[in-house]
Amino acid sequence: MMGSALAVPLLDRGHEVRLVGTHLDREIVESLKSSGVHPKLNYELPPGIEYFFVEELDQAMRDVELVALGVSSAGVRWAGQQLGPWARRELPILMVAKGLEWSNGKLRVLPDVLREELPKSAGAIQPIAVGGPCIAGELARRVETCVVFAGREPATLARVAALANGAYYHVTTSSDLFGVEACAALKNAYAMGMAFGEGIHERRGGQPSSVALHNYEAAVFAQSVFEMQRIVRLLGGDPASAVGLPGVGDLDVTCNGGRTGRFGKLLGLGLGVKAATERMQGATLECLEILAVLKRALPELEQRRELDGAELPLLRHLIAVALDDQPIAMPFDRFFKSS
Amino acid sequence: MMGSALAVPLLDRGHEVRLVGTHLDREIVESLKSSGVHPKLNYELPPGIEYFFVEELDQAMRDVELVALGVSSAGVRWAGQQLGPWARRELPILMVAKGLEWSNGKLRVLPDVLREELPKSAGAIQPIAVGGPCIAGELARRVETCVVFAGREPATLARVAALANGAYYHVTTSSDLFGVEACAALKNAYAMGMAFGEGIHERRGGQPSSVALHNYEAAVFAQSVFEMQRIVRLLGGDPASAVGLPGVGDLDVTCNGGRTGRFGKLLGLGLGVKAATERMQGATLECLEILAVLKRALPELEQRRELDGAELPLLRHLIAVALDDQPIAMPFDRFFKSS
């Protein structure tokens, strides 16, 4: 969805845009080829974009000056292998995948995971990551959107930002790849926690109203930003990313009724993890993926004394509720305390 | 409303609570005395609170150990004069009023305005201010709420926080009186700007949906936090307040459908200031009050080179729209740039 949405501002900037589906996107590409309608965005993309099946990748890759990669976190290694034959230092890669990986005792961002799969002969390619609040369905409809492109090579970063920056797609840049990527991954976990409030309110018989559990939700929001700064520091990133577009901005936009929010609300209603997951009918729940990564990471980080056991009380409670099926009891008294 | 709501957690902590109305609150106090119902909170307060008219102030003030002041910003000087006879260094004052004053070429916080009106014989009383996300109607209904008490005297601050901290009213403390108070005042202006998006979406024929103008709103949210940090620094406060409960948290809660949001949405619908104000039927609009203060302050701060003309593009646009009746054209391309 996000890869397809990104095609719109690139097209509007006058670029030739070629959209390639993975083997999982067969029906989407067929629909786009025949009518221009993206069935998941529920929207007809503007004319001028060319569409390709994954087996037509070599056609699509001819003379490209930028690869924008829209696969989900699970597809990043696969995508790196597919792109191998074309990978070279001069061809920048822009990534919209969100996630963190825990491997070899380290939290790693997806651009670094992708790099592992690219051929060594391609030189040290530094992918650029996109952060900030961007609902794909809104970007496809040309809603004003502010994003951050983050990368380690200033010249490439500036060039790619200039290619994409346009009338309604406002691109700023950041050298803080760790911070921007960590926020993009974490926001789903924290947005799930904010949605507990809505579920609890409804369970108590409340109606949506200006008097509900907004105090509860806002306290969780502020603590989320507090903890995101801490986790960004753990990764060696800049906490300023957590209080800007990638953190505060993306967390805000994620609280507007997507999958994550619906799942969090179901937990707030008291359904329990199994029933709540069933209600989501197989939808990918990024919040559970990132929580599972952090559940593995926290004990080792504590053992190495990079983290104190009293830190991140909200994150620990989200893990307890969403992975270990504990009842919700938000630990407000442990909020806003530094180690 | 907030003063009355605050009576509930204080009562639940086992304190004897006496609620005094101003001369503007006559009907409210009459209703409370006869039935316990607060007509503006639309809620029956729990039994045990004693109610007083302003002319019964001397009865209410007998042997008190804390004064919690719930007047609006316009009433702060009046309240200081009323409290004069009882003011002494040992009697702490807790203030919920939100606002800034521009006088003698300086932005000033309300606790300092109050101090001017207290008798010099009372010694250097340092009022304590409350910040953070707290909708009065929710606090009165015992919704979990996290707030910050801010003050310059650590011992008094700790004592007052301990008096109020309870099962659902979670009090943390801060020495950053300037930062906490600035955020409390500014959030109304910025929340008005976030609500533009909802109005614009509706004007274009959109329905409330997970695809609307959420990208727009979230970008404005992140820029609001960016600018609040800058203004806090202007006042000599700590930018950390703007990214914590007083800034991020209070801004989030203010976007949940109060007066400020309704007014901002009307502007987004294209009504213009006059028509939008009329629709609000005389409701106090704190957003206009704080914007008027800043409209006076900005030129002088720039002249003194404490501020650059390119800074605070969002705030300047909010002033242009809400005070000078200019059309909305959010300056996204000027967002997220330091001076």
Side-chain angles (χ1 to χ4, degrees):
Chain A
M1 288 173 78
M2 191 61 85
S4 302
L6 192 55
V8 180
L10 291 172
L11 184 79
D12 286 344
R13 271 297 313 277
H15 300 300
E16 192 178 314
V17 181
R18 305 183 194 143
L19 194 57
V20 187
T22 73
H23 49 289
L24 300 171
D25 303 323
R26 201 135 205 110
E27 284 175 44
I28 298 172
V29 176
E30 272 163 10
S31 171
L32 286 166
K33 282 191 182 226
S34 69
S35 68
V37 172
H38 191 298
K40 288 204 176 177
L41 288 172
N42 193 20
Y43 190 67
E44 184 179 337
L45 296 184
I49 303 170
E50 292 176 89
Y51 302 103
F52 298 87
F53 292 114
V54 68
E55 58 269 25
E56 301 168 313
L57 186 59
D58 53 346
Q59 265 180 272
M61 288 296 290
R62 219 175 310 160
D63 303 325
V64 293
E65 56 179 324
L66 171 68
V67 174
L69 195 57
V71 296
S72 71
S73 57
V76 167
R77 288 189 185 276
W78 173 86
Q81 291 153 16
Q82 300 301 308
L83 287 173
W86 291 276
R88 56 197 165 84
R89 219 179 171 295
E90 299 71 32
L91 178 61
I93 300 176
L94 184 67
M95 295 179 68
V96 302
K98 321 280 189 199
L100 291 176
E101 195 183 271
W102 173 252
S103 54
N104 303 322
K106 232 182 133 181
L107 280 171
R108 304 169 70 222
V109 298
L110 297 183
D112 288 335
V113 172
L114 182 78
R115 289 171 71 202
E116 277 191 6
E117 301 294 332
L118 296 174
K120 297 231 158 36
S121 62
I125 292 181
Q126 288 285 359
I128 291 167
V130 187
C134 184
I135 294 174
E138 295 190 359
L139 180 58
R141 288 164 178 81
R142 300 187 171 102
V143 168
E144 301 265 11
T145 300
C146 291
V147 294
V148 178
F149 283 10
R152 297 183 180 119
E153 289 180 341
T156 312
L157 182 62
R159 183 158 60 93
V160 173
L163 285 176
N165 187 55
Y168 55 88
Y169 190 62
H170 307 277
V171 181
T172 49
T173 59
S174 165
S175 60
D176 183 32
L177 187 69
F178 282 135
V180 169
E181 280 292 271
C183 291
L186 292 165
K187 59 109 190 314
N188 278 305
Y190 287 112
M192 181 195 81
M194 284 189 66
F196 289 173
E198 199 183 334
I200 295 168
H201 180 61
E202 193 173 307
R203 185 176 54 180
R204 291 177 185 167
Q207 300 292 320
S209 161
S210 59
V211 173
L213 259 66
H214 301 305
N215 292 356
Y216 177 116
E217 293 157 1
V220 174
F221 194 124
Q223 175 68 10
S224 300
V225 174
F226 188 79
E227 295 193 4
M228 285 201 290
Q229 292 177 75
R230 179 67 185 97
I231 298 170
V232 166
R233 275 193 284 124
L234 260 181
L235 268 91
D238 180 357
S241 294
V243 305
L245 274 178
V248 164
D250 203 359
L251 185 56
D252 178 69
V253 94
T254 308
C255 296
N256 279 297
R259 291 188 300 273
T260 303
R262 286 204 304 279
F263 181 68
K265 185 180 167 183
L266 291 171
L267 294 176
L269 279 163
L271 256 71
V273 176
K274 190 159 174 287
T277 311
E278 279 169 13
R279 289 270 194 102
M280 296 304 293
Q281 302 180 315
T284 307
L285 289 169
E286 290 97 341
C287 52
L288 297 184
E289 290 174 5
I290 182 68
L291 286 173
V293 168
L294 290 163
K295 187 183 175 181
R296 286 199 304 277
L298 292 188
E300 195 164 328
L301 292 169
E302 280 169 43
Q303 212 182 345
R304 298 204 311 247
R305 302 190 183 236
E306 294 174 32
L307 190 71
D308 188 279
E311 292 185 288
L312 310 178
L314 173 56
L315 180 71
R316 290 169 202 272
H317 187 56
L318 298 177
I319 290 171
V321 170
L323 299 181
D324 303 335
D325 218 6
Q326 297 296 305
I328 295 173
M330 199 55 78
F332 289 110
D333 280 329
R334 295 166 54 206
F335 281 9
F336 309 108
K337 291 180 170 61
S338 302
S339 66
Chain B
M1 288 172 77
M2 190 62 83
S4 301
L6 191 55
V8 180
L10 291 172
L11 184 79
D12 286 344
R13 271 298 313 278
H15 301 298
E16 192 177 315
V17 181
R18 305 182 194 145
L19 195 57
V20 187
T22 73
H23 49 289
L24 300 170
D25 303 323
R26 199 133 209 111
E27 284 175 43
I28 297 172
V29 176
E30 272 164 9
S31 171
L32 286 166
K33 281 190 182 226
S34 69
S35 68
V37 172
H38 192 297
K40 288 203 174 179
L41 288 172
N42 192 21
Y43 190 69
E44 183 178 336
L45 296 183
I49 303 169
E50 291 177 89
Y51 302 102
F52 299 87
F53 293 113
V54 67
E55 59 269 25
E56 302 168 314
L57 186 60
D58 54 346
Q59 263 179 274
M61 289 296 291
R62 217 174 312 159
D63 304 324
V64 294
E65 53 180 325
L66 169 68
V67 175
L69 195 56
V71 296
S72 70
S73 56
V76 167
R77 288 191 184 277
W78 172 86
Q81 292 152 17
Q82 300 302 307
L83 287 173
W86 291 276
R88 55 197 166 83
R89 220 180 169 293
E90 299 71 33
L91 178 61
I93 300 176
L94 183 68
M95 294 179 69
V96 302
K98 321 279 189 202
L100 291 176
E101 194 182 271
W102 174 250
S103 54
N104 304 320
K106 234 183 132 180
L107 279 171
R108 304 169 69 221
V109 298
L110 296 182
D112 288 335
V113 172
L114 182 79
R115 289 171 70 201
E116 277 191 6
E117 301 295 331
L118 296 173
K120 298 235 160 29
S121 62
I125 292 181
Q126 288 285 0
I128 290 166
V130 187
C134 184
I135 294 173
E138 295 190 359
L139 180 59
R141 287 164 179 81
R142 300 187 172 102
V143 168
E144 301 265 11
T145 300
C146 291
V147 295
V148 178
F149 284 10
R152 295 183 181 118
E153 288 180 341
T156 312
L157 182 61
R159 182 158 61 94
V160 174
L163 285 176
N165 186 56
Y168 55 88
Y169 190 62
H170 307 277
V171 181
T172 50
T173 59
S174 165
S175 59
D176 183 31
L177 187 69
F178 282 134
V180 170
E181 280 293 89
C183 291
L186 292 165
K187 58 106 191 313
N188 279 305
Y190 287 112
M192 181 196 81
M194 283 190 66
F196 288 174
E198 199 182 334
I200 295 169
H201 180 61
E202 193 174 309
R203 185 176 52 178
R204 292 178 184 165
Q207 301 291 321
S209 164
S210 59
V211 173
L213 261 66
H214 302 306
N215 292 356
Y216 177 115
E217 293 158 0
V220 173
F221 194 123
Q223 174 68 13
S224 300
V225 175
F226 188 79
E227 295 194 3
M228 285 201 291
Q229 291 176 75
R230 180 67 186 97
I231 299 170
V232 166
R233 275 193 284 127
L234 259 180
L235 268 93
D238 180 356
S241 293
V243 305
L245 274 179
V248 163
D250 203 359
L251 184 57
D252 179 70
V253 93
T254 308
C255 295
N256 281 297
R259 290 188 300 271
T260 303
R262 286 204 304 278
F263 181 68
K265 184 180 167 183
L266 291 171
L267 294 176
L269 279 164
L271 257 71
V273 175
K274 189 158 175 287
T277 311
E278 279 168 15
R279 287 271 193 100
M280 297 303 295
Q281 302 178 317
T284 307
L285 289 168
E286 290 98 342
C287 51
L288 297 183
E289 290 174 6
I290 183 68
L291 286 173
V293 168
L294 291 163
K295 186 183 175 180
R296 286 199 303 277
L298 292 188
E300 195 163 328
L301 292 169
E302 280 169 42
Q303 212 182 346
R304 299 203 310 246
R305 302 189 182 235
E306 295 176 31
L307 189 70
D308 187 278
E311 292 186 290
L312 310 178
L314 172 56
L315 180 71
R316 290 169 203 272
H317 187 55
L318 299 176
I319 290 171
V321 170
L323 299 181
D324 302 335
D325 218 7
Q326 297 295 304
I328 295 172
M330 200 56 80
F332 290 110
D333 281 328
R334 295 165 55 204
F335 281 10
F336 308 110
K337 291 181 171 59
S338 302
S339 66

